[in-house]
Amino acid sequence: IHIITINRGPRYTITMDEGTSSSPPPSTAAPPAGATKDLSGVAWTGGSLVGSLNPNNHGFRVSDGAGGYIITNTHKRYKRSRRDAEGNIVDEEDDEIPGNIVVQFSNREGESVGEAMDVPTNAGSDELGTLIRSLLDDDDDDMDDGSTKAHIPYAFFAKITKITQITNPSTGEKETQTTQEEIDITDHPSLAAFLKQYKQHVSTEQTLELTYQPLALFKVRPVTRCTDTLPGHTEAILHVSYSPDGKHLASGGGDATVRFWDVQTSTPRHTCQGHKDHVLSTAWSPDGIRFASGDKRGNVILWDPTKGDALGTIKAHGKWITGMAWEPMHASVGGKCERLVTSSKDSLAKIWNVRTKRCEATLSGHMDSIESVKWGGEGLIYTASRD
């Protein structure tokens, strides 16, 4: 037997008790003046029955037309049970996620679309997309051939505020840090899954602001088959690079060889030997006339890719070569493409003149291995290191 008691005072409070007696419930105080409707619920004008005043009440809220709410479905909540694959009864976790939540849609410019509305929390991105299309009057359009125009897909984002406690490194005192993050709703199967994951940062009693953004219609099909296989290396292939015209491919491997391939026919052109250790990096000159390869012993060998002949060897670094980049053609003197920058595990980058095989500059400053080097189009060299 559920006994509902209404106590009169400065504020009306409602309590719900559960007992086993079959006696009739005790008499209750008279309801407040003006409350004459029997709505199978409670009409309330002096505060909310949902939330901190009554956290066990998760009924549905509708307006009573007098500035208050009518709370229905106020029965006691019980844990739900289900049967697992083996037929055992398992209690489901009570996540306390309501069946509906008030949502306000807006675009990227912050302009609201439509009025705030109740949306079922089991709605996913497809249902939200259907709803936003109806708000934008972007319904299905029939084509001349009787087909239906493809829907424009939408992504939805929600901003959450995270409050964390951090320690100030200078004072050692605790400080409160507030950060805002934008969460992609489409990464979750439904609004309920999003609310459950971020329940510490999102209140279901407040309007959820959702920002929509249209997506592209095209789809990228996955690669499901291999077009060509180029056998030849006897050890692992460690680096490959295409020629500037895209017609040839060069590869360096653990077998200490450099191989040139014809991309159009998928056949080998040259097998170049000269390295004494793993070939770790390869690079074509912008004009396609020269080719450079660097190995684990810090040596750089220059090649003629049309003939497969070695043009010279440079002892570039004391440790292995990690990257190489040629000077862009438009920035080189006379467009001759004679300068090359190399990077190494020795934390140095060096600029070489491949014609004279002399080092023009050594770039230091890193404290650990340089993993990548690029020569920009405005005369700057960019390096990335483990430090």
Side-chain angles (χ1 to χ4, degrees):
I1 300 173
H2 299 287
I3 301 174
I4 299 179
T5 305
I6 302 179
N7 299 324
R8 190 186 324 189
R11 172 176 292 183
Y12 285 91
T13 60
I14 295 179
T15 59
M16 182 172 65
D17 194 6
E18 181 178 359
T20 59
S21 174
S22 60
S23 60
S27 61
T28 60
T36 60
K37 297 180 181 179
D38 182 10
L39 298 174
S40 300
V42 179
W44 184 258
T45 59
S48 174
L49 292 181
V50 181
S52 59
L53 296 182
N54 191 0
N56 291 326
N57 185 3
H58 293 276
F60 297 96
R61 299 173 295 176
V62 295
S63 175
D64 65 352
Y69 292 100
I70 299 174
I71 311 300
T72 62
N73 190 24
T74 58
H75 57 275
K76 184 176 178 63
R77 293 169 59 92
Y78 295 93
K79 288 187 177 180
R80 295 170 295 180
S81 300
R82 61 178 177 83
R83 292 186 181 273
D84 58 13
E86 300 178 356
N88 301 320
I89 298 178
V90 180
D91 290 337
E92 290 187 348
E93 181 182 358
D94 188 6
D95 51 18
E96 298 186 356
I97 300 299
N100 289 61
I101 188 172
V102 180
V103 173
Q104 175 65 63
F105 293 101
S106 61
N107 56 23
R108 279 297 185 183
E109 287 72 29
E111 300 173 352
S112 298
V113 177
E115 301 292 337
M117 61 187 68
D118 273 329
V119 176
T121 54
N122 61 357
S125 58
D126 293 340
E127 291 77 13
L128 294 176
T130 302
L131 181 57
I132 196 65
R133 280 192 292 270
S134 65
L135 292 175
L136 298 174
D137 295 330
D138 187 18
D139 295 331
D140 296 344
D141 291 334
D142 294 333
M143 306 297 287
D144 295 337
D145 57 359
S147 61
T148 301
K149 183 180 67 176
H151 279 314
I152 296 178
Y154 288 90
F156 297 89
F157 303 90
K159 288 185 178 180
I160 64 172
T161 301
K162 289 186 176 182
I163 301 177
T164 56
Q165 294 290 333
I166 62 173
T167 302
N168 192 316
S170 58
T171 63
E173 297 180 355
K174 296 288 185 179
E175 296 181 355
T176 301
Q177 184 180 32
T178 303
T179 58
Q180 279 196 343
E181 294 184 12
E182 193 174 54
I183 307 300
D184 190 352
I185 300 295
T186 54
D187 292 339
H188 301 78
S190 64
L191 284 174
F194 161 75
L195 295 171
K196 184 176 181 180
Q197 181 174 350
Y198 296 97
K199 60 183 178 182
Q200 301 297 330
H201 312 289
V202 179
S203 173
T204 57
E205 296 187 7
Q206 297 179 354
T207 301
L208 178 63
E209 301 281 347
L210 289 185
T211 303
Y212 70 91
Q213 178 178 350
L215 301 178
L217 284 175
F218 66 86
K219 295 182 179 179
V220 179
R221 293 187 296 178
V223 177
T224 57
R225 65 184 181 89
C226 176
T227 58
D228 293 289
T229 301
L230 310 178
H233 284 282
T234 58
E235 295 291 341
I237 298 175
L238 303 177
H239 201 272
V240 295
S241 56
Y242 277 94
S243 62
D245 58 8
K247 297 180 180 180
H248 302 95
L249 177 71
S251 60
D255 56 3
T257 64
V258 174
R259 296 174 183 263
F260 293 95
W261 310 85
D262 189 311
V263 175
Q264 295 178 342
T265 60
S266 301
T267 56
R269 296 191 62 197
H270 308 289
T271 299
C272 305
Q273 299 179 348
H275 288 285
K276 304 300 182 183
D277 213 326
H278 298 60
V279 179
L280 303 178
S281 182
T282 61
W284 293 78
S285 63
D287 56 8
I289 297 177
R290 297 182 179 89
F291 179 83
S293 58
D295 62 24
K296 195 173 181 180
R297 299 191 181 186
N299 296 321
V300 174
I301 298 181
L302 303 172
W303 306 90
D304 180 354
T306 58
K307 299 179 181 179
D309 298 334
L311 302 177
T313 301
I314 301 174
K315 178 59 179 177
H317 295 273
K319 295 184 179 181
W320 61 72
I321 306 293
T322 57
M324 297 184 297
W326 291 83
E327 182 181 19
M329 180 182 294
H330 70 273
S332 60
V333 179
K336 296 181 179 180
C337 303
E338 294 182 343
R339 295 206 296 176
L340 174 74
V341 60
T342 60
S343 62
S344 171
K345 192 177 183 298
D346 60 9
S347 72
L348 299 176
K350 297 183 179 182
I351 301 175
W352 301 88
N353 186 306
V354 297
R355 179 176 54 84
T356 62
K357 301 178 180 58
R358 296 183 59 181
C359 179
E360 294 187 353
T362 299
L363 310 179
S364 61
H366 285 294
M367 304 302 294
D368 206 339
S369 172
I370 298 177
E371 297 300 303
S372 180
V373 61
K374 299 296 180 182
W375 200 317
E378 297 180 354
L380 299 177
I381 294 177
Y382 306 87
T383 57
S385 170
R386 286 181 176 270
D387 58 10

